[in-house]
Amino acid sequence: MDENHKPVELAKGVYWLGVIDWNLRDFHGFATPGGGTYNSYLIVDDKIALIDTVKAQFAGELIKSIKTLIDPSKIDYVIENHVEMDHSSSLPAIMRIAPQARVFATKHGKAGICNYYKAVGCDEWDFEVVETGSELSLGNRTLMFIETIMLHWPDSMHTYLKEDRILFSNDAFGQHIATSHRFNDKVGDVMDDAATYYANILMPFGSQVLAYVDKVKELGIEIDMIAPSHGIIWRQNPEQIINAYVRWASGETVPKVLVIYDTMWGSTERMAKEILHGVMSKDVDVKLLNLRKNDWSMIIKEILEAPVIAVGSPTVNNGMFFPVGGFLTYLKGLRPKGKKAVAFGSFGWGGGAVKAVEKEMESAGFEIIEPGLQVKFRPDEDELESCRKLGIRIADAAK
Ligand code: FEO
């Protein structure tokens, strides 16, 4: 069998048949140096259900994989856990082959699908709107749906296969990595990848994550396997990723400082390095992160577990240097909670960047722990000493 289209059995009659996107390097701005996957699942029982599809460019690969198991025209149900294009844009191709299939989605899911696919005949599709607790019998097996509003879109839901205790969690618990293996017990530690994914996709929705975990407990759902729609499947100790989500959503941090900056002629960088040295002198973990030499999605992952950050920018046209402004716009949207910050930077003929950074950080929800530090032109020895002392104070704040 063609290895590219070889399904992987999760349980008897339950298959992964997604697509490994080895060349994915940018997922709508999220850096993916290790590629990614779009996971689709097929359950073959008295009735046949397809759970989620893949990016439209890979529709042909998905259909080839389905054909290795069944005739795709026999699909009875398509479960659309989430409308975003990476999971739904092959739906039109599936519905052309299996026009009788019923599509299951939440109320918002149906509305989103009908908006996206109006031009390709979604008015003709047979929809069933589901909510938390709705069930679908496949014969010997039963699917239960769990709405996960704002995890991470209003339409999102999870699908739970009761008899096999498999949770199809769509975006939640995913990671952007491409690997020839499908299960977590076959690969090394992927928790860093899961953290990067959480920080960049789910960080704004911590309270919804905690409410979701409570809901799963309330529903009495027992989970033997978590099968997300990106990355590896959590087969061994699936509680580990749920526990990690609870830690991240609760805002747990470790003593760590990040010095995040950009520089034009080196003055702000000199300040950044002296702040770094001040933190290091207190034996607190610290990273120096230049905004044009590091992927922003990796910096966001570092912020997830850092209680304090220092953000530096030179002044350009009375405001922030534009890479700093762009990064803070991204950070603000992710709404990190319970974190502290301080600003620093250099200017030539007129300042403005430090105030602008402080304003932006405040509106992003950071507590500004002291007025920002700024220097004119090039920092002298006294000013560098002030930077070192600032580093010592923020190290103390991180403990
Ligand atoms: Fe993987 Fe929200 O899409």
Side-chain angles (χ1 to χ4, degrees):
M1 186 186 292
D2 174 357
E3 288 299 316
N4 279 338
H5 305 110
K6 190 174 169 184
V8 175
E9 200 169 39
L10 277 61
K12 193 168 168 32
V14 182
Y15 302 90
W16 171 91
L17 30 68
V19 169
I20 306 169
D21 190 351
W22 296 99
N23 292 325
L24 183 72
R25 290 295 175 271
D26 180 326
F27 186 88
H28 58 47
F30 181 152
T32 52
T37 75
Y38 316 103
N39 300 340
S40 187
Y41 299 94
L42 192 75
I43 305 174
V44 182
D45 203 309
D46 294 348
K47 297 287 188 183
I48 298 174
L50 178 69
I51 300 181
D52 290 331
T53 71
V54 299
K55 248 186 194 174
Q57 72 198 81
F58 299 109
E61 288 196 33
L62 175 65
I63 290 162
K64 267 190 190 168
S65 297
I66 295 171
K67 280 181 177 168
T68 66
L69 294 166
I70 53 141
D71 173 354
S73 71
K74 306 286 188 223
I75 292 172
D76 296 289
Y77 307 127
V78 181
I79 315 300
E80 275 299 339
N81 280 321
H82 178 31
V83 175
E84 204 167 0
M85 301 288 90
D86 47 335
H87 308 295
S88 74
S89 58
S90 293
L91 181 60
I94 296 290
M95 296 305 285
R96 276 195 294 278
I97 297 172
Q100 80 295 339
R102 184 175 298 163
V103 179
F104 289 72
T106 62
K107 180 179 70 170
H108 293 303
K110 180 186 174 191
I113 290 167
C114 290
N115 267 282
Y116 271 119
Y117 305 115
K118 204 179 293 179
V120 290
C122 92
D123 290 348
E124 309 290 315
W125 301 347
D126 177 19
F127 277 97
E128 183 160 335
V129 169
V130 295
E131 52 191 31
T132 298
S134 301
E135 294 193 352
L136 168 65
S137 172
L138 303 178
N140 296 306
R141 291 187 167 99
T142 316
L143 297 177
M144 186 176 91
F145 305 103
I146 308 157
E147 290 173 276
T148 54
I149 296 167
M150 295 319 295
L151 285 180
H152 67 127
W153 274 18
D155 63 283
S156 301
M157 71 172 186
H158 292 179
T159 299
Y160 177 61
L161 176 53
K162 291 173 89 169
E163 291 75 10
D164 297 282
R165 311 209 302 189
I166 301 174
L167 180 71
F168 299 95
S169 62
N170 193 261
D171 279 331
F173 311 124
Q175 340 82 44
H176 282 310
I177 45 171
T179 160
S180 57
H181 296 289
R182 299 279 58 83
F183 298 103
N184 65 321
D185 47 293
K186 294 286 185 189
V187 297
D189 187 4
V190 294
M191 204 48 92
D192 255 17
D193 298 290
T196 305
Y197 184 97
Y198 178 92
N200 284 275
I201 306 276
L202 293 161
M203 186 150 60
F205 310 116
S207 55
Q208 287 89 342
V209 167
L210 297 175
Y212 166 78
V213 172
D214 286 345
K215 187 74 188 169
V216 165
K217 279 186 196 147
E218 183 190 315
L219 291 168
I221 289 174
E222 308 257 4
I223 298 170
D224 285 349
M225 197 182 293
I226 297 177
S229 292
H230 296 289
I232 61 96
I233 295 161
W234 302 91
R235 176 169 69 177
Q236 186 178 64
N237 186 15
E239 308 83 61
Q240 66 181 297
I241 187 62
I242 296 175
N243 294 339
Y245 267 49
V246 169
R247 279 200 310 279
W248 297 327
S250 307
E252 273 187 31
T253 57
V254 296
K256 179 161 96 172
V257 170
L258 306 175
V259 183
I260 300 166
Y261 74 100
D262 208 332
T263 196
M264 290 175 71
W265 297 106
S267 292
T268 300
E269 185 166 63
R270 280 171 164 242
M271 296 177 76
K273 286 183 174 171
E274 288 309 315
I275 294 169
L276 172 89
H277 296 152
V279 179
M280 287 169 72
S281 74
K282 296 292 282 184
D283 206 21
V284 166
D285 191 14
V286 57
K287 282 192 173 162
L288 185 73
L289 297 163
N290 182 309
L291 284 167
R292 279 182 292 159
K293 298 187 193 300
N294 293 278
D295 289 328
W296 290 2
S297 37
M298 303 306 156
I299 298 176
I300 294 294
K301 181 246 165 185
E302 295 292 337
I303 290 174
L304 183 63
E305 292 189 325
V308 184
I309 67 172
V311 178
S313 174
T315 293
V316 184
N317 301 328
N318 304 114
M320 285 179 276
F321 191 26
F322 56 86
V324 181
F327 177 74
L328 292 183
T329 298
Y330 182 41
L331 179 60
K332 190 158 82 173
L334 293 169
R335 306 197 291 276
K337 289 178 187 63
K339 297 189 186 290
K340 297 172 180 175
V342 67
F344 65 95
S346 58
F347 64 95
W349 305 107
V354 166
K355 282 270 171 272
V357 168
E358 281 176 348
K359 193 171 162 207
E360 201 66 0
M361 299 297 296
E362 253 177 341
S363 70
F366 283 75
E367 177 196 345
I368 305 298
I369 52 178
E370 60 175 87
L373 190 59
Q374 54 182 342
V375 306
K376 188 171 170 65
F377 289 114
R378 201 165 181 76
D380 60 22
E381 277 310 312
D382 287 345
E383 287 165 329
L384 290 174
E385 180 59 19
S386 297
C387 291
R388 275 191 288 277
K389 286 180 174 161
L390 173 62
I392 289 169
R393 291 193 297 278
I394 60 178
D396 288 337
K399 285 180 178 170

